[in-house]
Amino acid sequence: MISFYSSVFLLVITVVSSSPTFFKTQGSYYQIGYSVGYKFRDQIKNFINESTTYNSVLLPFYNTTWGKNIVQQYEITNKNLFPNYFEELRGISDGAEEPFINMLLLNLRPEIETIVQETKIESTFSLEHCTDIHVRTETNKIFGHNEDADPKVKDYAYIVHAIIEQNGTVVENWVAYCYPGILPGIAFGFNAHLALSLNALTPKTVIAGGAARAFVNRSFFAARSITETLNQIATHMSVMSFGFSLNVGQFSDGSIANIEVSPFMSGYIFVHGNYSHYNNYKLLAEDLKYYVSISTLHRSARVDQFPVPKTSEDILTILGDHEDAVYPIYRDGSYPDDTSTIASALFDLDKGKISIFDANPKTSAPFIILDVKSLNQTLN
C-alpha cells in the first residue's frame, strides 16, 4: 500500500501491496526525523526485534566495555562533524519511541560488523550489497542500481521526500529509499541536482570512532554537484572510519562518476561509455586490503557475458538477470547467497526521471516514476 502527501512529482503509481510507503515531510532536521520515526515506528520496532544482526552482533558488541567505548567515541565524533544529521537521527529515535542507542547501533552496522570480523568472532551478516550499471553516450546518460540487503529489510523499507528548512529557508530537498531506522543515504535517491546510489565496500581497516559511513553518506543528499561530493569526502578523509562506493549522476550535464572511499584513501572515475560497480574495490584494489565479495565475482563475470549496454532496456535486462543460479545479479536470498534484491532504480539523467522497481526490473514495470523537474521547482 502506498500513502502519499502532496506528491505532485509522482508520474506513475501502481499500487502493489508489498511496495514501500512513500511519505513526504517538511520541517527542521529534527522535525523531519521525528515525523519519519513516528510514521514508520512499527516498521522500525519490528525490524529491530527481528534483526539477527542487531540482536546477535550489534547489541552484544555494545554490551562489552570495549564495544561501548568505541560506540561512545563514534557518537562524539559524528555529533561534532554532523550536528544536523545527528539531530535528524535523534528525531527518528524520539518519533519511533526507541532508545537512541538502538538507532545509533543500526547506523554503525558496517563498522561494527567489520570490527567484529577482525576479532575473529563469527559474523552473521553479509556485506555484499548492490550492483550498478552505467551508460554515458551522446544519446543516453543513464545508470541503474540493484539495492541488495537482508531480505527482512524489504518488508520495512520506505521512501521519504524531505524538505528541510532552517530559519525559513529550504536547505535540503531530496527523495531517498530508506532502511528502517537508518539515515537516508546508504541506498539510493536524488535531489534536484544529483542522482545517488551506494555500493557496500568492506576494507579490512576500520578507524574506530571516526566519521561513520551512514553520516557521510547522508551528507551527499545536500550536495549540488559531483564536485561537492568529492569535496565532502576530502573534508572527512582524515577521520573516515570505513569504506563505500558512491555512484553519482549530475542532471545538469549528464555526468556520471563512481567514487571509491576507504580510510585514508579515495579514488574516482568519470564514466565515458559504460562502467559497472559491485562490492569489491576496483580503483583502489591494488592499494588496500579488503574483504573479497564472492557474489561480486559471480555478478561481474555474468555482466561481462552481456553485450555492452547502451539503453535503459539493456540496463534493466542486466539488473534482472538470474542466470547464475548460485550468485545471481538479481538476488533472492537462496543459499549460499543470504542477500536479496529488495528494490531497483533506473536514473535517466537527460529526462530527469527516476524509476523505482519493487520486483524484477527485467520483467516488471516500475511501481513509481519520479520527475526531478517538479522537485526542482521547490529548490532553486
Side-chain angles (χ1 to χ4, degrees), residues 13 31 45 54 131 154 170-171 191 201 241 256 268 334:
I13 299 178
Q31 288 169 338
K45 289 179 180 295
Y54 176 82
T131 296
K154 183 170 184 176
V170 173
V171 293
N191 62 23
L201 295 175
S241 177
I256 302 173
Y268 65 91
S334 298

Side-chain angles (χ1 to χ4, degrees), residues 128 202 204 279-280 290-294 297:
E128 302 180 353
T202 315
K204 291 189 174 182
N279 306 114
N280 287 340
Y290 61 94
Y291 287 96
V292 174
S293 161
I294 303 303
L297 300 180

Side-chain angles (χ1 to χ4, degrees), residues 89-164:
L89 186 60
R90 192 172 296 283
I92 295 173
S93 170
D94 290 348
E97 298 180 341
E98 279 287 329
F100 180 74
I101 188 59
N102 290 355
M103 300 296 99
L104 186 58
L105 290 175
L106 287 178
N107 283 269
L108 296 176
R109 180 198 59 78
E111 290 84 358
I112 293 175
E113 280 267 303
T114 307
I115 291 170
V116 169
Q117 288 178 15
E118 286 295 280
T119 64
K120 308 303 180 183
I121 301 172
E122 183 179 359
S123 177
T124 59
F125 194 89
S126 170
L127 294 172
E128 302 180 353
H129 293 181
C130 305
T131 296
D132 278 76
I133 307 294
H134 312 86
V135 171
R136 190 176 191 279
T137 64
E138 289 186 3
T139 54
N140 285 309
K141 285 88 175 173
I142 47 181
F143 70 97
H145 173 82
N146 273 355
E147 186 63 29
D148 301 333
D150 178 346
K152 293 185 179 69
V153 173
K154 183 170 184 176
D155 293 334
Y156 302 126
Y158 41 86
I159 299 173
V160 173
H161 174 201
I163 300 174
I164 302 175

Side-chain angles (χ1 to χ4, degrees), residues 128-318:
E128 302 180 353
H129 293 181
C130 305
T131 296
D132 278 76
I133 307 294
H134 312 86
V135 171
R136 190 176 191 279
T137 64
E138 289 186 3
T139 54
N140 285 309
K141 285 88 175 173
I142 47 181
F143 70 97
H145 173 82
N146 273 355
E147 186 63 29
D148 301 333
D150 178 346
K152 293 185 179 69
V153 173
K154 183 170 184 176
D155 293 334
Y156 302 126
Y158 41 86
I159 299 173
V160 173
H161 174 201
I163 300 174
I164 302 175
E165 300 172 327
Q166 284 186 322
N167 301 318
T169 299
V170 173
V171 293
E172 294 192 35
N173 185 355
W174 43 257
V175 174
Y177 184 96
C178 301
Y179 287 33
I182 299 179
L183 288 168
I186 70 164
F188 63 86
F190 66 97
N191 62 23
H193 309 276
L194 300 175
L196 305 152
S197 69
L198 278 293
N199 309 126
L201 295 175
T202 315
K204 291 189 174 182
T205 298
V206 181
I207 307 304
R213 176 194 157 175
F215 288 90
V216 176
N217 292 172
R218 170 65 183 84
S219 72
F220 299 140
F221 278 77
R224 293 174 175 242
S225 67
I226 294 175
T227 299
E228 281 193 28
T229 65
L230 292 168
N231 290 341
Q232 288 168 333
I233 290 168
T235 296
H236 300 113
M237 183 52 62
S238 64
V239 291
M240 192 72 70
S241 177
F242 201 59
F244 57 86
S245 164
L246 171 66
N247 307 282
V248 55
Q250 195 162 278
F251 289 112
S252 62
D253 62 3
S255 295
I256 302 173
N258 174 261
I259 307 167
E260 290 185 349
V261 175
S262 73
F264 308 125
M265 193 182 308
S266 67
Y268 65 91
I269 183 172
F270 279 89
V271 176
H272 298 283
N274 66 87
Y275 193 71
S276 59
H277 205 283
Y278 315 91
N279 306 114
N280 287 340
Y281 280 97
K282 295 176 71 171
L283 304 174
L284 305 180
E286 296 182 0
D287 300 315
L288 54 85
K289 295 181 179 180
Y290 61 94
Y291 287 96
V292 174
S293 161
I294 303 303
S295 171
T296 283
L297 300 180
H298 281 251
R299 283 179 278 146
S300 60
R302 175 59 183 152
V303 169
D304 288 344
Q305 295 174 2
F306 282 90
V308 173
K310 298 179 180 180
T311 66
S312 296
E313 291 74 19
D314 293 342
I315 290 176
L316 296 178
T317 296
I318 293 172

